[in-house]
Amino acid sequence: MPKWSLRRRPGRTLGLLLLLVLSFLVLRRYLNPKVGSCDHEGALRLNWSTLVPLWLQHQRLGLRTKGPDFILEDSIFQILGGSIHYFRVPREYWRDRLLKLKACGLNTLTTYVPWNLHEPERGKFDFSGNLDLEAFIQLAAKIGLWVILRPGPYICSEIDLGGLPSWLLQDPDMKLRTTYHGFTKAVDLYFDHLMSRVVPLQYKHGGPIIAVQVENEYGSYNKDRAYMPYIKKALEDRGIIEMLLTSDNKDGLEKGVVDGVLATINLQSQQELMALNTVLLSIQGIQPKMVMEYWTGWFDSWGGSHNILDSSEVLQTVSAIIKDGSSINLYMFHGGTNFGFINGAMHFNDYKADVTSYDYDAILTEAGDYTAKYTKLRELFGTVSGIPPPPPPELTAKMVYEPMSPALYLSLWDAIQYMDKPVTSETPINMENLPVNNGNGQAFGYVLYETTIFSSGVLSGLVRDRGQVFLNRVSIGFLDYKTTKITIPLTQGYTILRILVENRGRVNYGNNIDSQRKGLIGNLYLNNKALKNFKIYSLDMTKQFLQRFDMDNWSVIPKELTFPAFFLGALSVGIYPSDTFLKLEGWVKGVVFVNGHNLGRYWNVGPQETLYLPGVWLDKGINKVIIFEETMSGSMVQSTDIPHLGRNQYIN
């Protein structure tokens, strides 16, 4: 190839000089921005890879396979990963949790991306605050972690509808996780937006993302053979150029394989490891082995027991996985919390909703504290790498505050007048199809249905998931999956029939996700005759919902209480706000809000007995606490520095 010199190419010389000057000006502008300016914000989000010539970028080889090994650039690379979900951890604690992951001897972060939280309304995207995916990934890179991204669109993750937006269910013919046009059209629009954010963060563009997962455990669903190739192409067409992976458990491994995509496995025992590795070998030959999800514990369901996995068993299984030559990802390294109403559910024989805590009996606790598992695994990973891990960060402070007694009260029946006008309909409308939220329906919370009746008899209907039935303001019982009929006692003339229905969480795993509409499903019958003319109130319990209640709307707590009701109190905090756990002894079932943050649900059936309250959500001085209680209140709310997750009580 002929050499060229500056003498032969004066035009190119001038162009090169101009390029150098321009590059200097651009760098100067970004490296010395005025705080608060657009340039300052741009500097924080500067994609350095755009300053590297393309021909140099393409020299970066990224993660690839060579026989039984992963290769990163020219070196054998063993993935030692841990899962943390940014949407389950207060943003202010991201750095703490990631530093603890690094200090455990791990080199890779894995995280899901919840579509339902990022696109709460069609075409309206939210990647701000606690949902700032890019900031989370960039922080991981700054700490020295690689990233495996799991963007779905379905993620399971014990989150409502497996992370799929509830507005998809407005289509009566919707077939989720298939190539049904209504689903793929929505996925395409979401991926258009999401991948524009993700693509610059890939390894070959100078970012930390070394691999991307194609959907999640599709082999155990497997309703459409064309679906996984479609998702693979959707990722690649939008610029995903890193290694692609699938992830399947024992029920779906053989059916979850996709051409050109490395299969990985999900498990908890050494017996599963041996069996699944045998299947992997028969499917894809000699390839790197990876346990994408080693389940370090398990999630809990309301009315069940708290799941615990012994730390010695965890150490033995992780040691066996590493000795087998596999890479590993700890699911979960840190579970966090199902703040708000984002928890999912399971429904095989019985419907079981997940609790608010996503502690998972993981390596770190719900509040980010160390466990025996952390200590043992840190020693193991330090031995494997031959490099001592960095020192673990200090624990976040915990505090026990003075008990709080609510001072003010507002019954639901009095609160109705301050809500948006109800939807009027001849027949009941399920939550997802309510004409609210700019036509996107209601995703979470409660719905109140009202109609009038003039006789007694048997009330029947499909309530999803739990409906408290009232005659005027008097509760007469509940309708749910097991109780589909209730007797209406004798009434005199005009009576208001009310049903307060709670969405306790849409199923996140299984073959019945298409049927996860909530509220009243179909007609409501009295003596087998369909009732008509409903008023329907949307109680989504968002910040905007609670802001409708002015101080003038509240009253002093009376001697005789009417439920359901809202209670207002003040939590006093000293000069150093710290983490705590709220304990609601005497309260039965409801939701707690602190300074506008929805801490999640409580229910005295257990196993969860406390709600995690992050100190970063507290202010010095007075903090506003609102409790929505469905049936019976306690006299106070206490706090503790120790969570209570282990009560062993079951629903009859």
Side-chain angles (χ1 to χ4, degrees):
M1 185 168 78
K3 296 181 180 180
W4 59 274
S5 68
L6 296 181
R7 293 178 188 173
R8 293 183 189 175
R9 306 279 179 103
R12 179 168 292 185
T13 303
L14 180 60
L16 190 60
L17 290 173
L18 288 172
L19 180 61
L20 288 171
V21 171
L22 181 61
S23 299
F24 171 76
L25 292 174
V26 169
L27 283 171
R28 183 170 177 234
R29 183 177 183 184
Y30 274 98
L31 291 173
N32 298 282
K34 182 179 179 181
V35 175
S37 67
C38 293
D39 294 335
H40 181 260
E41 181 67 19
L44 296 177
R45 298 171 60 87
L46 177 62
N47 178 9
W48 289 95
S49 66
T50 60
L51 301 179
V52 181
L54 286 176
W55 65 274
L56 277 177
Q57 290 184 30
H58 293 161
Q59 296 300 306
R60 306 195 68 181
L61 300 176
L63 187 69
R64 62 196 194 281
T65 65
K66 186 177 182 181
D69 298 317
F70 285 114
I71 306 293
L72 190 60
E73 290 302 323
D74 295 321
S75 300
I76 293 175
F77 181 69
Q78 184 176 27
I79 298 168
L80 301 177
S83 289
I84 301 175
H85 299 153
Y86 56 100
F87 50 93
R88 283 183 163 124
V89 181
R91 180 171 181 157
E92 297 87 344
Y93 287 154
W94 287 353
R95 179 176 177 82
D96 173 79
R97 308 306 194 254
L98 292 174
L99 285 171
K100 288 172 178 173
L101 187 149
K102 179 78 172 178
C104 194
L106 303 176
N107 56 31
T108 302
L109 164 74
T110 70
T111 189
Y112 282 128
V113 182
W115 181 8
N116 57 345
L117 303 185
H118 285 300
E119 193 179 0
E121 298 179 9
R122 288 182 188 84
K124 182 180 179 180
F125 298 97
D126 185 1
F127 284 83
S128 64
N130 231 79
L131 295 175
D132 193 338
L133 171 64
E134 294 155 288
F136 185 64
I137 293 174
Q138 290 164 346
L139 179 59
K142 186 176 181 180
I143 287 171
L145 295 166
W146 301 115
V147 175
I148 295 177
L149 195 68
R150 311 175 80 185
Y154 163 85
I155 61 173
C156 185
S157 185
E158 289 72 62
I159 192 173
D160 188 275
L161 202 59
L164 301 175
S166 61
W167 46 257
L168 290 167
L169 297 175
Q170 290 183 326
D171 180 350
D173 300 318
M174 177 56 65
K175 296 177 180 61
L176 301 172
R177 303 181 75 191
T178 70
T179 52
Y180 173 72
H181 175 69
F183 185 68
T184 58
K185 180 180 179 181
V187 171
D188 287 341
L189 292 174
Y190 170 58
F191 271 13
D192 285 345
H193 186 95
L194 175 62
M195 296 310 152
S196 69
R197 295 173 177 272
V198 168
V199 163
L201 299 172
Q202 294 179 102
Y203 179 89
K204 292 171 186 173
H205 294 324
I209 297 176
I210 57 173
V212 175
Q213 185 174 300
V214 182
E215 234 260 0
N216 191 67
E217 293 186 326
Y218 193 74
S220 58
Y221 193 70
N222 194 38
K223 289 192 176 183
D224 184 346
R225 289 186 178 180
Y227 175 68
M228 286 293 277
Y230 152 72
I231 294 294
K232 175 177 181 282
K233 187 175 186 299
L235 293 170
E236 293 174 334
D237 287 351
R238 288 163 177 81
I240 296 300
I241 54 177
E242 303 302 337
M243 178 178 288
L244 296 178
L245 311 168
T246 59
S247 171
D248 282 285
N249 57 32
K250 58 183 174 58
D251 297 326
L253 179 57
E254 294 184 71
K255 297 178 181 178
V257 177
V258 180
D259 288 342
V261 179
L262 184 70
T264 68
I265 53 180
N266 303 338
L267 53 85
Q268 191 171 67
S269 69
Q270 295 185 51
Q271 292 75 21
E272 290 174 296
L273 176 67
M274 295 174 61
L276 290 178
N277 274 338
T278 301
V279 176
L280 271 182
L281 184 63
S282 67
I283 290 173
Q284 59 186 17
I286 298 177
Q287 293 279 1
K289 293 178 289 188
M290 179 167 185
V291 178
M292 178 58 75
E293 292 185 12
Y294 167 65
W295 301 317
T296 60
W298 202 246
F299 57 90
D300 295 339
S301 301
W302 288 114
S305 58
H306 177 51
N307 288 296
I308 295 174
L309 185 62
D310 185 75
S311 62
S312 296
E313 182 178 344
V314 169
L315 178 63
Q316 290 172 7
T317 305
V318 173
S319 298
I321 291 170
I322 291 175
K323 185 177 180 180
D324 187 57
S326 291
S327 287
I328 187 173
N329 175 59
L330 304 174
Y331 188 98
M332 297 291 298
F333 177 79
H334 171 55
T337 308
N338 290 316
F339 292 117
F341 300 116
I342 68 171
N343 65 273
M346 302 290 276
H347 193 177
F348 293 108
N349 295 321
D350 297 319
Y351 172 86
K352 296 180 180 180
D354 302 334
V355 302
T356 298
S357 172
Y358 199 60
D359 178 87
Y360 207 84
D361 195 37
I363 312 304
L364 295 180
T365 69
E366 179 181 13
D369 294 334
Y370 300 115
T371 65
K373 294 176 184 178
Y374 186 95
T375 304
K376 293 176 180 180
L377 291 179
R378 183 172 185 267
E379 182 178 351
L380 172 65
F381 292 135
T383 302
V384 169
S385 65
I387 302 172
E394 295 292 325
L395 292 176
T396 53
K398 306 293 184 297
M399 184 70 69
V400 177
Y401 298 104
E402 289 296 318
M404 182 213 75
S405 294
L408 300 176
Y409 156 92
L410 178 63
S411 79
L412 175 60
W413 316 124
D414 293 329
I416 286 174
Q417 61 186 306
Y418 309 118
M419 300 178 190
D420 289 342
K421 289 184 178 181
V423 174
T424 57
S425 174
E426 184 177 4
T427 58
I429 303 174
N430 59 284
M431 179 181 281
E432 296 78 9
N433 286 94
L434 286 174
V436 297
N437 298 320
N438 300 313
N440 291 276
Q442 182 180 336
F444 305 114
Y446 298 77
V447 179
L448 177 64
Y449 296 86
E450 282 189 2
T451 188
T452 55
I453 59 174
F454 299 90
S455 65
S456 59
V458 177
L459 184 72
S460 61
L462 290 180
V463 175
R464 298 291 182 266
D465 296 302
R466 185 174 188 261
Q468 190 172 5
V469 182
F470 301 86
L471 293 183
N472 296 322
R473 297 186 173 197
V474 179
S475 175
I476 63 169
F478 292 88
L479 293 172
D480 54 25
Y481 289 89
K482 293 183 177 179
T483 304
T484 58
K485 296 180 180 180
I486 191 170
T487 299
I488 302 293
L490 288 173
T491 60
Q492 294 183 351
Y494 177 94
T495 302
I496 299 177
L497 173 70
R498 293 170 163 138
I499 304 182
L500 179 65
V501 182
E502 178 194 11
N503 166 13
R504 291 179 52 205
R506 296 181 182 86
V507 165
N508 57 267
Y509 181 86
N511 292 322
N512 55 348
I513 59 173
D514 288 342
S515 60
Q516 291 305 302
R517 295 169 184 86
K518 301 298 183 180
L520 288 182
I521 310 302
N523 283 315
L524 185 68
Y525 298 92
L526 181 59
N527 297 327
N528 296 319
K529 182 179 179 181
L531 296 173
K532 304 291 183 182
N533 301 320
F534 286 83
K535 289 182 180 179
I536 308 172
Y537 296 85
S538 171
L539 284 68
D540 54 11
M541 302 286 184
T542 61
K543 283 186 179 181
Q544 293 74 21
F545 176 90
L546 296 174
Q547 288 169 356
R548 297 188 181 101
F549 306 147
D550 297 329
M551 286 304 298
D552 294 340
N553 303 148
W554 299 84
S555 62
V556 176
I557 297 178
K559 291 183 179 180
E560 296 294 329
L561 298 174
T562 301
F563 291 94
F566 297 91
F567 294 83
L568 177 61
L571 179 66
S572 180
V573 173
I575 58 174
Y576 299 111
S578 302
D579 288 4
T580 194
F581 300 88
L582 299 185
K583 193 172 184 180
L584 291 105
E585 288 186 352
W587 302 77
V588 176
K589 188 178 189 302
V591 192
V592 178
F593 307 85
V594 177
N595 295 333
H597 295 280
N598 187 337
L599 302 189
R601 312 172 212 254
Y602 64 89
W603 195 2
N604 67 354
V605 299
Q608 181 175 351
E609 296 180 343
T610 55
L611 286 175
Y612 173 52
L613 173 53
V616 292
W617 288 356
L618 292 170
D619 300 322
K620 181 175 66 174
I622 299 300
N623 293 263
K624 183 178 180 181
V625 179
I626 294 178
I627 304 168
F628 177 68
E629 167 60 50
E630 295 181 23
T631 58
M632 187 175 72
S633 63
S635 60
M636 66 178 65
V637 176
Q638 297 174 301
S639 67
T640 175
D641 54 0
I642 301 174
H644 295 272
L645 298 171
R647 186 160 146 205
N648 202 353
Q649 180 177 340
Y650 293 85
I651 300 173
N652 293 328

